[in-house]
Amino acid sequence: KPPIIVSELATRMGLKPFVLLADLIKLQVFVAPHQAIEPETAAKVCELHGFIFEREKREKGGGVHKIEEVVVEPEKVQDEPEDVLQLRPPIITIMGHVDHGKTSLLDYIRKSSITKGEAGGITQHVAAYKVEREGKPVTFIDTPGHAIFSDMRARGADITDIVVLVVAANDGIMPQTLEAIEHAKKAEKTIIVAINKVDLPTANVMRVKTQLAEKGLQTVDFGGDVECVEVSALTGAGVDGLLELLALQAEVLELKANPKGNARASIIEARVQPGRGATASVIVETGTLKVGTPFICGPFAGKVKSLINDRGESVKEAKPGTPVEVIGFDEMPNVGDSLVEMDNIRAAQKLADERQLDRRNDRLQLTRKSRMEDLFSNV
Ligand code: GDP
Ligand code: MG
């Protein structure tokens, strides 16, 4: 029987070999991409990614040579079994032109969701937070711009469920509004428009709607299907309507995740804090992230030392859709990378070493390539 080579198996599932290596390490199988694994192991790894492992007999050349091949087929249901899935909060990303009121809107939502006694906790900047409206949680990401949005998507960390496009009613559509529309469309996200600053005497809602329609975003009252609300982050007018719309939209999307599986979280912001070292704001995508969890994150291994929620409180765990600050990195992780739970720190460290080696090799090859190009460009 032909051997089952890790990199080959990865290719057949449309995955990068290191993804399988990470799975294999969890199964205590330590191999390199060009090495072979046992069929039982292959079967387990395939299952993790929603594939069934089968060895198919194929006849070649009139049955003279019998060649057995590794074949993987997508399972019908790629997702987790229904019964382990639970509803999770929608993840909302706010986009729009600079100064159109994104931060003000988020601040208003956050402040109005926090009772006076807790107000102390909101002075500090957080990258993401969860608010509740009528018992239904919604998670907002406060990003410095849409660069981070496409950046994260490029890294495969596509965690946004709904995009709220903020357009100032006095200003109308501006260059960054257009960019935001483009990004959201490319990512196939539901866009909800919030026309902000309607308190200003120069506000012109109709003009904004006309401009939106010209750009292919027909609002409902223009006969299209784009939901649109008029708000003022200054007075708070219309903000509750926006939250209601988001909750409704989230219900339609029926967003679910398995809180029991291995934890995976997406890094949305990273920084070094005095006394805490490197910390990262993450949003848990699946599983439950707990204090003590060993993890791999890009080329770095670590262990969750402590978790701090969006109100500055220390918590023991974070469930899917929840933003949380993670302390326990040796080095600052990269925005957009995924933090993935590992069985033990040893396995995490081994994978980290491999990834670092991989990256060094990649860089080396790039350098060689550009040197070669330099060489030829001078000919
Ligand atoms: P961002 O760059 O999109 O995050 O915009 P900011 O939230 O920083 O707001 C830019 C400016 O617009 C600030 O001076 C805000 O006070 C002001 N602003 C934001 N929302 C409103 C609003 O609804 N009405 C009025 N009048 N001013 C607003
Ligand atoms: Mg801002």
Side-chain angles (χ1 to χ4, degrees):
K1 278 181 182 174
I4 304 155
I5 307 297
V6 176
S7 57
E8 216 174 281
L9 190 63
T11 311
R12 282 166 189 268
M13 287 192 277
L15 297 168
K16 290 262 161 57
F18 76 79
V19 177
L20 293 198
L21 291 179
D23 298 333
L24 288 167
I25 286 167
K26 286 193 161 191
L27 299 170
Q28 303 288 320
V29 178
F30 303 101
V31 288
H34 64 272
Q35 287 178 325
I37 51 172
E38 295 297 318
E40 297 76 37
T41 314
K44 277 187 201 159
V45 174
C46 288
E47 202 185 307
L48 283 174
H49 295 278
F51 287 90
I52 304 167
F53 176 79
E54 268 176 18
R55 290 203 137 197
E56 187 190 80
K57 277 193 179 148
R58 248 193 226 173
E59 307 229 337
K60 225 184 182 185
V64 181
H65 306 286
K66 278 196 176 159
I67 294 179
E68 290 190 50
E69 257 194 280
V70 180
V71 175
V72 283
E73 279 175 2
E75 246 176 81
K76 280 197 187 66
V77 190
Q78 288 232 3
D79 299 292
E80 315 258 1
E82 254 324 283
D83 55 336
V84 298
L85 293 179
Q86 289 180 14
L87 282 173
R88 63 160 176 86
I91 298 163
I92 318 285
T93 297
I94 312 275
M95 295 170 123
H97 195 73
V98 66
D99 280 347
H100 277 199
K102 299 179 292 293
T103 303
S104 307
L105 188 59
L106 283 165
D107 281 352
Y108 185 89
I109 293 170
R110 187 150 180 248
K111 279 196 198 106
S112 59
S113 77
I114 292 177
T115 54
K116 283 211 177 68
E118 304 173 297
I122 71 149
T123 44
Q124 145 206 31
H125 158 86
V126 288
Y129 58 81
K130 196 163 79 170
V131 300
E132 270 191 25
R133 189 185 171 280
E134 290 172 0
K136 286 177 193 140
V138 177
T139 294
F140 287 98
I141 304 184
D142 188 2
T143 61
H146 44 245
I148 189 176
F149 181 82
S150 34
D151 221 51
M152 288 183 68
R153 261 177 47 75
R155 289 161 183 267
D158 189 4
I159 54 169
T160 302
D161 298 307
I162 301 168
V163 168
V164 170
L165 181 70
V166 174
V167 188
N170 59 328
D171 238 10
I173 287 188
M174 299 295 275
Q176 286 167 1
T177 318
L178 288 176
E179 278 173 41
I181 293 173
E182 222 162 89
H183 283 298
K185 275 192 175 165
K186 206 182 276 171
E188 295 178 350
K189 301 297 173 193
T190 303
I191 301 175
I192 289 180
V193 178
I195 301 181
N196 190 33
K197 307 199 187 187
V198 294
D199 58 285
L200 291 176
T202 48
N204 189 341
V205 172
M206 278 320 265
R207 187 176 67 123
V208 176
K209 287 184 179 173
T210 309
Q211 290 176 332
L212 286 168
E214 280 166 5
K215 300 297 168 197
L217 287 182
Q218 267 101 0
T219 54
V220 173
D221 52 347
F222 272 46
D225 57 4
V226 177
E227 298 286 355
C228 174
V229 280
E230 294 164 32
V231 299
S232 166
L234 194 69
T235 68
V239 175
D240 196 54
L242 173 65
L243 291 177
E244 192 181 338
L245 201 57
L246 290 173
L248 270 174
Q249 193 62 51
E251 252 176 50
V252 172
L253 294 175
E254 251 198 289
L255 305 160
K256 288 182 175 174
N258 175 8
K260 294 223 172 71
N262 272 337
R264 191 180 68 232
S266 209
I267 311 287
I268 55 169
E269 199 177 88
R271 61 198 153 152
V272 175
Q273 283 181 298
R276 283 182 179 170
T279 71
S281 301
V282 310
I283 291 187
V284 181
E285 292 174 74
T286 177
T288 300
L289 191 61
K290 299 188 183 87
V291 172
T293 302
F295 63 79
I296 178 92
C297 184
F300 307 123
K303 191 170 185 173
V304 180
K305 274 206 209 95
S306 49
L307 295 170
I308 298 179
N309 73 7
D310 55 352
R311 297 185 178 193
E313 301 155 348
S314 196
V315 290
K316 290 230 156 57
E317 56 174 47
K319 291 206 159 17
T322 307
V324 72
E325 182 99 3
V326 178
I327 299 164
F329 292 92
D330 290 336
E331 280 171 82
M332 205 160 76
N334 303 308
V335 169
D337 271 352
S338 280
L339 180 158
V340 180
E341 177 177 348
M342 297 286 285
D343 286 342
N344 55 66
I345 188 72
R346 200 176 57 94
Q349 194 54 58
K350 187 160 190 298
L351 185 57
D353 292 345
E354 280 177 14
R355 286 188 180 177
Q356 284 182 21
L357 192 68
D358 264 5
R359 288 183 188 202
R360 266 199 295 278
N361 287 339
D362 283 354
R363 273 201 297 273
L364 211 63
Q365 275 182 356
L366 263 175
T367 322
R368 281 203 197 110
K369 190 165 166 271
S370 63
R371 279 212 202 108
M372 287 294 275
E373 279 165 5
D374 282 352
L375 211 65
F376 284 112
S377 67
N378 291 334
V379 174

